Amino acid sequence: MSARLGAAGPVPATGTDTATRETGQHVAAVDGLRAVAVAAVMLYHLLPQALPGGFTGVDVFFVISGYVVTASLANRAPAGLGRYTLAFYARRVLRILPALLSCLLATALLTTLFVPDAWLSQATRQVGLWAFLGLSNHALLWHTDGYFSPRAEFNPFVHTWSLAVEEQFYVVFPLVFFLWLQRGSARPALAWLGRHGTALLWAASLAWCAWASSTRPDEAFYLLPSRFWELATGALLLQWQRSGVLARWPGLGRHGALGGALLVLAGLAVVSHQPFPFPQALLPVLGTAWLIHAMTCGQPPARWGRPVQAALAHRATVAVGRLSYSLYLWHWPVYVLLRWTTGLESPATLALALVATVALATLSYHAIEVPLRRHPRVLALPQWLIVAAALLAVALAWQLAREVFHLRHRIGSVVNREATLWYPSAWAPAAGSARLCTAQERWRELPAATVLELGSADCTARAVPTQLFVIGDSHAGAYTTLLRQWADASAMTVRQYGRSGCSFANFYKATPADDARCLAFAEAAMADVERLARPGDVVLLAALRMPRIGGQDRRYDLDALLAEQRSPAAATQRAAAERQALVQVERLRQRGLKIVLEAPKPVHLSPPFRCADWFNRGNPVCAPGFEVPRDLLLALRAPVQAALERAVQQPGTWLWDPFEPLCPDARCQAFDAQGRPLFFDGDHLSAHANRLLFPGFASVMGAVQRGERPAP
């Protein structure tokens, strides 16, 4: 048999290190098992409904890697821990890094060219940079991007989490394995630790995984402590084979091909992602270990196991297995970049995704993986030099990727290149705008909220005594350009309070009683306003106050949404939201503060930022278009509008309605007549719209400061 069992990332292909039968034969069927696993992962990422548990192919890879890396260590001549570890890392970096760094750099460039900055891509650059350092799993956790969350499907670096887990495993495993080699030591404690150390770590990891899968699911999914047991399963299998433990049960080997295959297939077909990894990962993990044992123990398989072993050892299956590392590396960036550009829904784009993946993987394998790993001059280098050169290559690649990401405002999407039109950040007003000063921005962190403060010494010298406080969700944050312009024009100090995913005084949807995070935000924002505000100061309350009809990542069923809005349940939800909002408004009003409530703005079916370039205008997410009948939107907002009009009957409360300037005609447009964006996505304003709305906002603020009530 011809396959070599080399250790690599989660989907290793051919390598220079080998795991063998006791007879010394190479085992081609293990490459075939890699092929099954990578095909399952690729199919799941392309059509998840076709193979619901296909993501457990990564668990299969973990077991294979644990086995083959242990075999590669076991087949080496004994040496001291330092030399042993150095040799191990020299082999690993030659095996993993060339293809990985090439893929990451290419993906960084393509991301810069084709992916605009947005909530949907918020974590992309950070995850990509941490991927060079083997810490992308931690970066995904820091950004709360769960593997099954919408943003994960649009981050071309998400798949590197499993590579990071393995790289972190490689940091600790040489020491663990070196202890196993001491199992024959004359020192009883060391011998006992050598015999049982891996099993103890396996049990501890499994116990942690069992607890974390239900209490800390993202940590359980992404981090090494809850995945160590999967890699250690492969390591234990090799150790028990070499120690003769499994020889006591010869039936395990004879029946393992069929039994293991059934467990793996059950995992691929029926496992769901809640909870995960425990206990559901036990199916593919134990099944893979059983299969590997059957294929490496030297015993002939039972009758029904022969077709399984023959299929896994078939030339075509083995060939795919050899490409598995490159297939894994490239499939996810290809899929994600197609989602951002042409879309990934039609049969043609699905076929294109597969063809591009296979082509790039084949090129990577033959032009990068194999030549560098087998080049005689490279193999002749001292091991310390190989490791040092690898570390230098990582540092240089990281810096290069960082510089490439910085080019996005020059060579990327038109959304990035024309950022002052699209992104509602604290941009300076347009040239010629009236202003008394130049406000500076300062960020301040509260325990449960982030505060953007706009003001400066230049403004303070001319400042009016009134302050403006703004509390709300990301839609309040989408007024940052307007607020900066107001701070400049009025010399008024502006403080904007926000927390991702949290609304305030919404009137459309109440914050649930069990949402401690957003309730804490509301309390922190109100407490800070109460601490800093003086009677007569103004509080602007802005939010998404009507149903969203289109998302950044998908299209909505408008008919179903309209039917839902007419339901009794929706009316009950709005009534609860009104009661909650009135309590919050009244608390601020009782402090002598003037309250400005923002009326619902138009919403749109398609996200303009995903459809602004030549390469993404044909994306299916753009198909609903960029105009919505005005009457439809007026009807959608009518219940909340009525609640707001009731609220402003109270003294000291005003209503600001941005709807008319954004939709003056019979059909509400997402772009103005000159093609400039009014909306960034389906419901967040662009910076251009901020400037369009400024005169009306300034007029309302003038009336508020003068204490004038609007005419009935």
Side-chain angles (χ1 to χ4, degrees):
M1 296 184 182
S2 61
R4 298 179 182 270
L5 301 184
V11 277
T14 303
T16 56
D17 302 316
T18 59
T20 64
R21 300 186 192 276
E22 296 299 328
T23 60
Q25 291 178 298
H26 302 304
V27 186
V30 175
D31 272 337
L33 184 55
R34 290 189 182 102
V36 172
V38 77
V41 171
M42 290 174 62
L43 177 59
Y44 172 79
H45 286 158
L46 205 59
L47 295 168
Q49 66 276 12
L51 195 64
F55 64 93
T56 63
V58 171
D59 303 270
V60 174
F61 296 138
F62 281 155
V63 180
I64 295 173
S65 290
Y67 184 85
V68 296
V69 75
T70 306
S72 72
L73 287 169
N75 292 337
R76 300 289 161 178
L81 178 60
R83 293 180 59 191
Y84 208 79
T85 303
L86 185 63
F88 173 77
Y89 289 139
R91 293 192 300 274
R92 296 287 66 69
V93 298
L94 280 178
R95 177 65 188 87
I96 298 170
L97 285 184
L100 174 61
L101 296 182
S102 301
C103 179
L104 292 178
L105 286 171
T107 303
L109 176 60
L110 293 171
T111 299
T112 298
L113 291 172
F114 298 119
V115 178
D117 291 347
W119 171 83
L120 205 56
S121 58
Q122 188 176 48
T124 295
R125 296 190 307 278
Q126 292 84 350
V127 173
L129 290 174
W130 284 110
F132 285 91
L133 307 178
L135 292 169
S136 56
N137 56 337
H138 287 273
L140 287 162
L141 194 62
W142 297 331
H143 289 278
T144 63
D145 275 9
Y147 185 75
F148 304 99
S149 68
R151 288 204 307 195
E153 292 190 350
F154 290 85
N155 186 334
F157 300 101
V158 159
H159 68 315
T160 62
W161 75 268
S162 55
L163 288 162
V165 167
E166 289 219 20
E167 289 162 9
Q168 293 155 28
F169 176 77
Y170 293 155
V171 171
V172 300
F173 188 69
L175 177 60
V176 174
F177 186 81
F178 192 79
L179 286 175
W180 180 69
L181 295 179
Q182 314 308 310
R183 64 193 184 280
S185 171
R187 300 164 63 181
L190 186 59
W192 185 90
L193 191 60
R195 289 193 299 273
H196 304 293
T198 305
L200 289 173
L201 290 172
W202 180 92
S205 172
L206 182 62
W208 172 263
C209 180
W211 176 78
S213 292
S214 56
T215 58
R216 299 180 178 181
D218 286 343
E219 290 184 27
F221 193 94
Y222 280 134
L223 299 188
L224 177 62
S226 52
R227 294 290 192 163
F228 182 92
W229 69 275
E230 300 186 37
L231 291 139
T233 296
L236 277 173
L237 173 61
L238 189 283
Q239 292 177 6
W240 288 349
Q241 285 179 331
R242 294 295 175 94
S243 301
V245 173
L246 297 179
R248 304 171 192 170
W249 298 285
L252 282 175
R254 286 182 52 78
H255 300 287
L258 179 60
L262 290 175
L263 288 177
V264 170
L265 291 175
L268 296 175
V270 304
V271 163
S272 70
H273 56 80
Q274 291 181 338
F276 199 84
F278 187 88
Q280 300 187 82
L282 288 168
L283 285 173
V285 168
L286 297 181
T288 301
W290 200 2
L291 261 172
I292 293 174
H293 178 59
M295 294 183 293
T296 58
C297 68
Q299 296 179 353
R303 176 184 176 187
W304 295 108
R306 293 170 196 161
V308 173
Q309 195 153 333
L312 292 176
H314 191 276
R315 289 178 58 187
T317 316
V318 171
V320 174
R322 288 175 173 173
L323 281 177
S324 58
Y325 180 42
S326 285
L327 286 169
Y328 184 83
L329 282 178
W330 284 102
H331 85 284
W332 186 248
V334 167
Y335 292 4
V336 170
L337 290 165
L338 285 173
R339 283 194 185 98
W340 277 107
T341 53
T342 63
L344 193 57
E345 299 177 17
S346 68
T349 54
L350 294 174
L352 175 62
L354 291 176
V355 170
T357 297
V358 172
L360 289 167
T362 303
L363 179 64
S364 173
Y365 179 74
H366 290 289
I368 299 172
E369 281 188 62
V370 173
L372 283 174
R373 192 173 65 240
R374 296 180 179 176
H375 198 286
R377 292 185 179 179
V378 174
L379 296 176
L381 293 172
Q383 291 170 339
W384 70 264
L385 185 57
I386 292 174
V387 174
L391 294 175
L392 179 61
V394 168
L396 292 175
W398 180 91
Q399 182 61 35
L400 180 57
R402 186 168 175 267
E403 296 300 323
V404 167
F405 284 139
H406 285 164
L407 292 174
R408 66 189 185 280
H409 295 300
R410 295 174 56 189
I411 64 173
S413 163
V414 66
V415 179
N416 284 342
R417 298 198 311 272
E418 299 179 358
T420 56
L421 276 181
W422 285 87
Y423 296 102
S425 303
W427 302 111
S433 300
R435 53 181 174 176
L436 293 177
C437 62
T438 302
Q440 302 298 317
E441 64 177 86
R442 183 172 73 90
W443 292 92
R444 181 163 57 90
E445 292 292 333
L446 299 176
T450 300
V451 187
L452 170 61
E453 296 184 344
L454 297 169
S456 68
D458 178 32
C459 292
T460 303
R462 302 171 174 82
V464 295
T466 306
Q467 304 175 89
L468 173 61
F469 298 86
V470 184
I471 311 176
D473 53 22
S474 59
H475 297 79
Y479 281 120
T480 306
T481 300
L482 178 148
L483 295 173
R484 167 64 185 271
Q485 191 167 355
W486 175 251
D488 285 354
S490 68
M492 185 181 290
T493 298
V494 178
R495 293 184 177 90
Q496 183 183 43
Y497 297 79
R499 190 175 193 185
S500 174
C502 294
S503 193
F504 182 85
N506 187 275
F507 282 91
Y508 170 66
K509 185 177 294 185
T511 301
D514 60 352
D515 190 346
R517 179 175 174 273
C518 289
L519 291 175
F521 159 68
E523 180 58 36
M526 286 191 290
D528 200 61
V529 171
E530 291 167 341
R531 180 178 65 87
L532 296 172
R534 299 179 294 268
D537 284 346
V538 182
V539 181
L540 170 64
L541 303 178
L544 177 62
R545 293 193 168 112
M546 62 189 296
R548 180 176 276 134
I549 63 174
Q552 289 195 4
D553 59 322
R554 65 190 186 280
R555 290 177 289 176
Y556 287 18
D557 185 334
L558 185 58
D559 292 335
L561 186 147
L562 293 173
E564 179 188 352
Q565 292 305 303
R566 292 189 288 265
S567 69
T572 301
Q573 170 189 285
R574 291 191 295 267
E578 182 178 1
R579 289 192 299 270
Q580 184 185 73
L582 290 175
V583 170
Q584 294 169 330
V585 168
E586 185 61 19
R587 174 172 165 179
L588 296 170
R589 202 173 62 84
Q590 288 298 319
R591 291 280 181 159
L593 304 178
K594 298 178 178 180
I595 309 300
V596 178
L597 298 173
E598 175 221 27
K601 303 179 295 293
V603 291
H604 286 275
L605 296 162
S606 297
F609 84 98
R610 288 197 58 194
C611 311
D613 290 282
W614 62 268
F615 52 77
N616 56 26
R617 289 185 184 128
N619 195 298
V621 78
C622 310
F626 303 100
E627 58 178 41
V628 183
R630 175 187 171 95
D631 290 344
L632 171 63
L633 295 181
L634 289 175
L636 272 177
R637 82 170 194 155
V640 172
Q641 184 72 8
L644 291 168
E645 289 173 356
R646 289 191 293 269
V648 298
Q649 298 306 309
Q650 295 295 320
T653 311
W654 282 259
L655 185 65
W656 170 47
D657 193 347
F659 191 96
E660 188 65 30
L662 293 170
C663 183
D665 301 317
R667 301 188 72 82
C668 300
Q669 306 288 337
F671 294 87
D672 68 10
Q674 288 73 44
R676 294 170 298 189
L678 297 173
F679 287 81
F680 180 79
D681 57 18
D683 41 78
H684 290 88
L685 293 175
S686 68
H688 173 60
N690 274 241
R691 299 183 181 99
L692 176 69
L693 292 175
F694 180 76
F697 175 77
S699 177
V700 170
M701 285 296 293
V704 171
Q705 290 177 281
R706 294 188 299 271
E708 298 174 356
R709 303 292 294 176

